mmCIF file of all heavy atoms in Angstrom:
data_model
loop_
_atom_site.group_PDB
_atom_site.id
_atom_site.type_symbol
_atom_site.label_atom_id
_atom_site.label_comp_id
_atom_site.label_asym_id
_atom_site.label_seq_id
_atom_site.Cartn_x
_atom_site.Cartn_y
_atom_site.Cartn_z
ATOM 1 N N TRP A 1 -13.352 9.336 17.261
ATOM 2 C CA TRP A 1 -13.391 8.097 16.454
ATOM 3 C C TRP A 1 -14.449 8.127 15.391
ATOM 4 O O TRP A 1 -14.251 7.661 14.328
ATOM 5 C CB TRP A 1 -13.541 6.897 17.394
ATOM 6 C CG TRP A 1 -12.296 6.482 18.073
ATOM 7 C CD1 TRP A 1 -12.014 6.377 19.386
ATOM 8 C CD2 TRP A 1 -11.111 5.968 17.390
ATOM 9 N NE1 TRP A 1 -10.713 5.895 19.575
ATOM 10 C CE2 TRP A 1 -10.174 5.653 18.345
ATOM 11 C CE3 TRP A 1 -10.755 5.808 16.023
ATOM 12 C CZ2 TRP A 1 -8.869 5.159 17.975
ATOM 13 C CZ3 TRP A 1 -9.489 5.299 15.689
ATOM 14 C CH2 TRP A 1 -8.583 5.053 16.660
ATOM 15 N N ASP A 2 -15.628 8.717 15.784
ATOM 16 C CA ASP A 2 -16.708 8.721 14.795
ATOM 17 C C ASP A 2 -16.229 9.577 13.547
ATOM 18 O O ASP A 2 -16.505 9.169 12.436
ATOM 19 C CB ASP A 2 -17.951 9.434 15.383
ATOM 20 C CG ASP A 2 -18.664 8.539 16.417
ATOM 21 O OD1 ASP A 2 -18.425 7.316 16.358
ATOM 22 O OD2 ASP A 2 -19.552 9.081 17.117
ATOM 23 N N GLU A 3 -15.547 10.670 13.829
ATOM 24 C CA GLU A 3 -15.107 11.515 12.726
ATOM 25 C C GLU A 3 -14.024 10.841 11.927
ATOM 26 O O GLU A 3 -13.973 10.881 10.709
ATOM 27 C CB GLU A 3 -14.635 12.859 13.241
ATOM 28 C CG GLU A 3 -14.302 13.925 12.201
ATOM 29 C CD GLU A 3 -15.632 14.371 11.448
ATOM 30 O OE1 GLU A 3 -16.767 14.174 12.000
ATOM 31 O OE2 GLU A 3 -15.545 14.883 10.310
ATOM 32 N N LEU A 4 -13.056 10.195 12.576
ATOM 33 C CA LEU A 4 -11.967 9.500 11.880
ATOM 34 C C LEU A 4 -12.574 8.340 11.021
ATOM 35 O O LEU A 4 -12.159 8.265 9.860
ATOM 36 C CB LEU A 4 -10.995 8.866 12.936
ATOM 37 C CG LEU A 4 -10.009 9.829 13.544
ATOM 38 C CD1 LEU A 4 -9.315 9.183 14.744
ATOM 39 C CD2 LEU A 4 -8.940 10.248 12.489
ATOM 40 N N VAL A 5 -13.450 7.566 11.507
ATOM 41 C CA VAL A 5 -14.062 6.518 10.705
ATOM 42 C C VAL A 5 -14.843 7.062 9.559
ATOM 43 O O VAL A 5 -14.767 6.568 8.435
ATOM 44 C CB VAL A 5 -14.905 5.628 11.615
ATOM 45 C CG1 VAL A 5 -15.672 4.579 10.751
ATOM 46 C CG2 VAL A 5 -14.021 4.844 12.605
ATOM 47 N N LEU A 6 -15.564 8.129 9.836
ATOM 48 C CA LEU A 6 -16.342 8.808 8.786
ATOM 49 C C LEU A 6 -15.454 9.235 7.596
ATOM 50 O O LEU A 6 -15.811 9.041 6.371
ATOM 51 C CB LEU A 6 -17.165 9.941 9.308
ATOM 52 C CG LEU A 6 -17.999 10.751 8.313
ATOM 53 C CD1 LEU A 6 -19.063 9.879 7.679
ATOM 54 C CD2 LEU A 6 -18.589 11.974 8.978
ATOM 55 N N ARG A 7 -14.395 9.820 7.929
ATOM 56 C CA ARG A 7 -13.496 10.417 6.876
ATOM 57 C C ARG A 7 -12.680 9.321 6.181
ATOM 58 O O ARG A 7 -12.271 9.510 5.014
ATOM 59 C CB ARG A 7 -12.556 11.496 7.469
ATOM 60 C CG ARG A 7 -13.322 12.732 8.013
ATOM 61 C CD ARG A 7 -12.330 13.847 8.339
ATOM 62 N NE ARG A 7 -12.929 14.870 9.120
ATOM 63 C CZ ARG A 7 -12.299 15.986 9.556
ATOM 64 N NH1 ARG A 7 -11.048 16.183 9.183
ATOM 65 N NH2 ARG A 7 -12.900 16.904 10.291
ATOM 66 N N MET A 8 -12.340 8.237 6.903
ATOM 67 C CA MET A 8 -11.258 7.348 6.409
ATOM 68 C C MET A 8 -11.855 6.039 5.881
ATOM 69 O O MET A 8 -11.164 5.312 5.123
ATOM 70 C CB MET A 8 -10.298 7.019 7.561
ATOM 71 C CG MET A 8 -9.574 8.274 8.088
ATOM 72 S SD MET A 8 -8.056 7.877 8.971
ATOM 73 C CE MET A 8 -6.918 7.558 7.587
ATOM 74 N N ARG A 9 -13.067 5.704 6.182
ATOM 75 C CA ARG A 9 -13.642 4.412 5.676
ATOM 76 C C ARG A 9 -13.660 4.385 4.185
ATOM 77 O O ARG A 9 -14.106 5.344 3.563
ATOM 78 C CB ARG A 9 -15.019 4.159 6.256
ATOM 79 C CG ARG A 9 -15.557 2.769 5.783
ATOM 80 C CD ARG A 9 -17.029 2.671 6.192
ATOM 81 N NE ARG A 9 -17.224 2.460 7.680
ATOM 82 C CZ ARG A 9 -17.950 3.229 8.468
ATOM 83 N NH1 ARG A 9 -18.578 4.292 7.851
ATOM 84 N NH2 ARG A 9 -18.077 3.025 9.688
ATOM 85 N N THR A 10 -13.195 3.303 3.539
ATOM 86 C CA THR A 10 -13.154 3.195 2.146
ATOM 87 C C THR A 10 -14.282 2.321 1.605
ATOM 88 O O THR A 10 -14.972 1.582 2.402
ATOM 89 C CB THR A 10 -11.803 2.638 1.638
ATOM 90 O OG1 THR A 10 -11.643 1.324 2.223
ATOM 91 C CG2 THR A 10 -10.654 3.519 2.062
ATOM 92 N N CYS A 11 -14.498 2.337 0.310
ATOM 93 C CA CYS A 11 -15.572 1.592 -0.312
ATOM 94 C C CYS A 11 -15.417 0.083 -0.126
ATOM 95 O O CYS A 11 -16.409 -0.667 -0.262
ATOM 96 C CB CYS A 11 -15.771 1.995 -1.756
ATOM 97 S SG CYS A 11 -14.289 1.619 -2.779
ATOM 98 N N ASP A 12 -14.190 -0.434 0.083
ATOM 99 C CA ASP A 12 -13.961 -1.859 0.274
ATOM 100 C C ASP A 12 -14.048 -2.253 1.763
ATOM 101 O O ASP A 12 -13.785 -3.389 2.060
ATOM 102 C CB ASP A 12 -12.636 -2.277 -0.308
ATOM 103 C CG ASP A 12 -11.442 -1.608 0.366
ATOM 104 O OD1 ASP A 12 -11.647 -0.876 1.309
ATOM 105 O OD2 ASP A 12 -10.298 -1.883 -0.105
ATOM 106 N N GLY A 13 -14.425 -1.278 2.610
ATOM 107 C CA GLY A 13 -14.671 -1.641 3.991
ATOM 108 C C GLY A 13 -13.531 -1.350 4.972
ATOM 109 O O GLY A 13 -13.655 -1.516 6.159
ATOM 110 N N TRP A 14 -12.328 -0.878 4.406
ATOM 111 C CA TRP A 14 -11.212 -0.625 5.289
ATOM 112 C C TRP A 14 -11.589 0.606 6.194
ATOM 113 O O TRP A 14 -12.142 1.587 5.746
ATOM 114 C CB TRP A 14 -9.948 -0.323 4.540
ATOM 115 C CG TRP A 14 -8.811 -0.014 5.518
ATOM 116 C CD1 TRP A 14 -7.945 -0.919 6.024
ATOM 117 C CD2 TRP A 14 -8.390 1.243 5.974
ATOM 118 N NE1 TRP A 14 -7.050 -0.301 6.845
ATOM 119 C CE2 TRP A 14 -7.304 1.042 6.832
ATOM 120 C CE3 TRP A 14 -8.887 2.576 5.828
ATOM 121 C CZ2 TRP A 14 -6.675 2.099 7.513
ATOM 122 C CZ3 TRP A 14 -8.245 3.560 6.473
ATOM 123 C CH2 TRP A 14 -7.162 3.362 7.317
ATOM 124 N N GLN A 15 -11.104 0.564 7.453
ATOM 125 C CA GLN A 15 -11.208 1.705 8.337
ATOM 126 C C GLN A 15 -10.132 1.516 9.430
ATOM 127 O O GLN A 15 -9.695 0.361 9.649
ATOM 128 C CB GLN A 15 -12.564 1.805 8.911
ATOM 129 C CG GLN A 15 -12.951 0.662 9.910
ATOM 130 C CD GLN A 15 -14.347 0.948 10.431
ATOM 131 O OE1 GLN A 15 -15.284 1.182 9.713
ATOM 132 N NE2 GLN A 15 -14.482 0.788 11.764
ATOM 133 N N PRO A 16 -9.752 2.505 10.136
ATOM 134 C CA PRO A 16 -8.780 2.384 11.193
ATOM 135 C C PRO A 16 -9.371 1.572 12.392
ATOM 136 O O PRO A 16 -10.565 1.650 12.649
ATOM 137 C CB PRO A 16 -8.456 3.785 11.634
ATOM 138 C CG PRO A 16 -9.624 4.639 11.196
ATOM 139 C CD PRO A 16 -10.131 3.942 9.927
ATOM 140 N N THR A 17 -8.542 0.815 12.999
ATOM 141 C CA THR A 17 -8.916 0.079 14.147
ATOM 142 C C THR A 17 -9.195 1.025 15.378
ATOM 143 O O THR A 17 -8.368 1.875 15.600
ATOM 144 C CB THR A 17 -7.898 -0.978 14.624
ATOM 145 O OG1 THR A 17 -7.575 -1.812 13.454
ATOM 146 C CG2 THR A 17 -8.317 -1.791 15.782
ATOM 147 N N VAL A 18 -10.303 0.870 16.006
ATOM 148 C CA VAL A 18 -10.708 1.734 17.140
ATOM 149 C C VAL A 18 -10.203 1.133 18.419
ATOM 150 O O VAL A 18 -10.232 -0.032 18.629
ATOM 151 C CB VAL A 18 -12.234 1.865 17.192
ATOM 152 C CG1 VAL A 18 -12.666 2.692 18.352
ATOM 153 C CG2 VAL A 18 -12.722 2.528 15.863
ATOM 154 N N GLY A 19 -9.719 2.011 19.288
ATOM 155 C CA GLY A 19 -9.260 1.570 20.568
ATOM 156 C C GLY A 19 -9.163 2.759 21.613
ATOM 157 O O GLY A 19 -9.451 3.912 21.221
ATOM 158 N N PRO A 20 -8.835 2.508 22.832
ATOM 159 C CA PRO A 20 -8.756 3.575 23.834
ATOM 160 C C PRO A 20 -7.798 4.675 23.465
ATOM 161 O O PRO A 20 -6.644 4.323 23.027
ATOM 162 C CB PRO A 20 -8.280 2.808 25.112
ATOM 163 C CG PRO A 20 -8.644 1.432 24.857
ATOM 164 C CD PRO A 20 -8.561 1.172 23.420
ATOM 165 N N ILE A 21 -8.154 5.920 23.564
ATOM 166 C CA ILE A 21 -7.246 7.046 23.242
ATOM 167 C C ILE A 21 -6.437 7.344 24.562
ATOM 168 O O ILE A 21 -7.029 7.589 25.594
ATOM 169 C CB ILE A 21 -8.083 8.250 22.816
ATOM 170 C CG1 ILE A 21 -8.778 7.998 21.466
ATOM 171 C CG2 ILE A 21 -7.139 9.485 22.676
ATOM 172 C CD1 ILE A 21 -9.667 9.046 21.018
ATOM 173 N N ILE A 22 -5.116 7.394 24.413
ATOM 174 C CA ILE A 22 -4.286 7.598 25.609
ATOM 175 C C ILE A 22 -3.601 9.007 25.504
ATOM 176 O O ILE A 22 -3.011 9.393 26.481
ATOM 177 C CB ILE A 22 -3.166 6.536 25.645
ATOM 178 C CG1 ILE A 22 -2.342 6.474 24.378
ATOM 179 C CG2 ILE A 22 -3.791 5.185 25.979
ATOM 180 C CD1 ILE A 22 -1.181 5.406 24.397
ATOM 181 N N GLN A 23 -3.794 9.718 24.416
ATOM 182 C CA GLN A 23 -3.257 11.062 24.316
ATOM 183 C C GLN A 23 -3.924 11.793 23.167
ATOM 184 O O GLN A 23 -4.211 11.173 22.176
ATOM 185 C CB GLN A 23 -1.710 11.043 24.079
ATOM 186 C CG GLN A 23 -1.066 12.440 24.020
ATOM 187 C CD GLN A 23 0.355 12.288 23.566
ATOM 188 O OE1 GLN A 23 0.741 12.344 22.405
ATOM 189 N NE2 GLN A 23 1.250 12.060 24.523
ATOM 190 N N LYS A 24 -4.269 13.044 23.419
ATOM 191 C CA LYS A 24 -4.880 13.899 22.341
ATOM 192 C C LYS A 24 -4.563 15.315 22.515
ATOM 193 O O LYS A 24 -4.468 15.793 23.631
ATOM 194 C CB LYS A 24 -6.403 13.654 22.297
ATOM 195 C CG LYS A 24 -7.145 14.010 23.525
ATOM 196 C CD LYS A 24 -8.650 13.687 23.438
ATOM 197 C CE LYS A 24 -9.386 13.926 24.698
ATOM 198 N NZ LYS A 24 -10.872 13.603 24.507
ATOM 199 N N SER A 25 -4.399 16.051 21.391
ATOM 200 C CA SER A 25 -4.063 17.479 21.383
ATOM 201 C C SER A 25 -4.364 18.083 20.042
ATOM 202 O O SER A 25 -4.509 17.315 19.071
ATOM 203 C CB SER A 25 -2.577 17.678 21.794
ATOM 204 O OG SER A 25 -1.705 17.052 20.809
ATOM 205 N N VAL A 26 -4.347 19.391 19.989
ATOM 206 C CA VAL A 26 -4.533 20.131 18.737
ATOM 207 C C VAL A 26 -3.246 20.903 18.447
ATOM 208 O O VAL A 26 -2.776 21.665 19.342
ATOM 209 C CB VAL A 26 -5.781 21.076 18.793
ATOM 210 C CG1 VAL A 26 -5.779 21.933 17.532
ATOM 211 C CG2 VAL A 26 -7.029 20.240 18.943
ATOM 212 N N THR A 27 -2.695 20.810 17.285
ATOM 213 C CA THR A 27 -1.483 21.500 16.905
ATOM 214 C C THR A 27 -1.731 22.424 15.699
ATOM 215 O O THR A 27 -2.177 21.900 14.657
ATOM 216 C CB THR A 27 -0.332 20.496 16.526
ATOM 217 O OG1 THR A 27 -0.090 19.560 17.594
ATOM 218 C CG2 THR A 27 0.909 21.226 16.130
ATOM 219 N N PRO A 28 -1.533 23.707 15.836
ATOM 220 C CA PRO A 28 -1.717 24.613 14.672
ATOM 221 C C PRO A 28 -0.700 24.255 13.562
ATOM 222 O O PRO A 28 0.413 23.719 13.900
ATOM 223 C CB PRO A 28 -1.442 26.003 15.281
ATOM 224 C CG PRO A 28 -1.638 25.874 16.719
ATOM 225 C CD PRO A 28 -1.192 24.423 17.082
ATOM 226 N N MET A 29 -0.979 24.628 12.385
ATOM 227 C CA MET A 29 -0.095 24.355 11.223
ATOM 228 C C MET A 29 0.582 25.567 10.789
ATOM 229 O O MET A 29 -0.089 26.617 10.635
ATOM 230 C CB MET A 29 -0.920 23.742 10.075
ATOM 231 C CG MET A 29 -1.649 22.459 10.443
ATOM 232 S SD MET A 29 -0.534 21.040 10.338
ATOM 233 C CE MET A 29 -0.520 20.743 8.596
ATOM 234 N N ARG A 30 1.890 25.586 10.554
ATOM 235 C CA ARG A 30 2.557 26.787 10.071
ATOM 236 C C ARG A 30 3.834 26.343 9.297
ATOM 237 O O ARG A 30 4.342 25.296 9.485
ATOM 238 C CB ARG A 30 2.885 27.690 11.227
ATOM 239 C CG ARG A 30 3.979 27.202 12.144
ATOM 240 C CD ARG A 30 4.251 28.207 13.279
ATOM 241 N NE ARG A 30 5.278 27.837 14.138
ATOM 242 C CZ ARG A 30 5.157 27.000 15.183
ATOM 243 N NH1 ARG A 30 4.016 26.437 15.465
ATOM 244 N NH2 ARG A 30 6.243 26.678 15.959
ATOM 245 N N SER A 31 4.289 27.334 8.514
ATOM 246 C CA SER A 31 5.630 27.268 7.877
ATOM 247 C C SER A 31 6.467 28.394 8.372
ATOM 248 O O SER A 31 5.915 29.536 8.601
ATOM 249 C CB SER A 31 5.470 27.365 6.341
ATOM 250 O OG SER A 31 4.690 26.307 5.808
ATOM 251 N N PHE A 32 7.734 28.173 8.661
ATOM 252 C CA PHE A 32 8.603 29.171 9.233
ATOM 253 C C PHE A 32 10.011 28.975 8.764
ATOM 254 O O PHE A 32 10.537 27.807 8.732
ATOM 255 C CB PHE A 32 8.549 29.048 10.781
ATOM 256 C CG PHE A 32 9.494 29.897 11.521
ATOM 257 C CD1 PHE A 32 9.127 31.182 11.930
ATOM 258 C CD2 PHE A 32 10.768 29.443 11.872
ATOM 259 C CE1 PHE A 32 10.028 31.975 12.647
ATOM 260 C CE2 PHE A 32 11.677 30.218 12.553
ATOM 261 C CZ PHE A 32 11.305 31.494 12.999
ATOM 262 N N VAL A 33 10.698 30.077 8.430
ATOM 263 C CA VAL A 33 12.086 30.031 8.049
ATOM 264 C C VAL A 33 12.765 31.264 8.598
ATOM 265 O O VAL A 33 12.286 32.386 8.411
ATOM 266 C CB VAL A 33 12.326 29.952 6.492
ATOM 267 C CG1 VAL A 33 13.838 29.960 6.192
ATOM 268 C CG2 VAL A 33 11.598 28.723 5.904
ATOM 269 N N ALA A 34 13.897 31.090 9.248
ATOM 270 C CA ALA A 34 14.767 32.163 9.753
ATOM 271 C C ALA A 34 16.064 32.150 8.933
ATOM 272 O O ALA A 34 16.690 31.103 8.869
ATOM 273 C CB ALA A 34 15.027 32.045 11.242
#
C-alpha cells in the first residue's frame, strides 16, 4: 500500500482507497504467438 500510494497519489490529492488485501501474487509479463 505504501508503494501504491507513493506511485499513484496525484497533485490534487487523489489516491487509491486503502483496505485489507485478500489476494496477492506476482505475474511475469510476456508476449507469445503460435
Side-chain angles (χ1 to χ4, degrees):
W1 278 120
D2 286 347
E3 190 67 21
L4 281 167
V5 171
L6 177 63
R7 296 189 194 183
M8 302 197 78
R9 183 189 288 123
T10 60
C11 61
D12 63 2
W14 179 89
Q15 67 179 49
T17 304
V18 175
I21 295 175
I22 57 178
Q23 183 186 90
K24 58 183 177 180
S25 62
V26 174
T27 302
M29 301 278 281
R30 69 180 184 276
S31 300
F32 173 90
V33 179

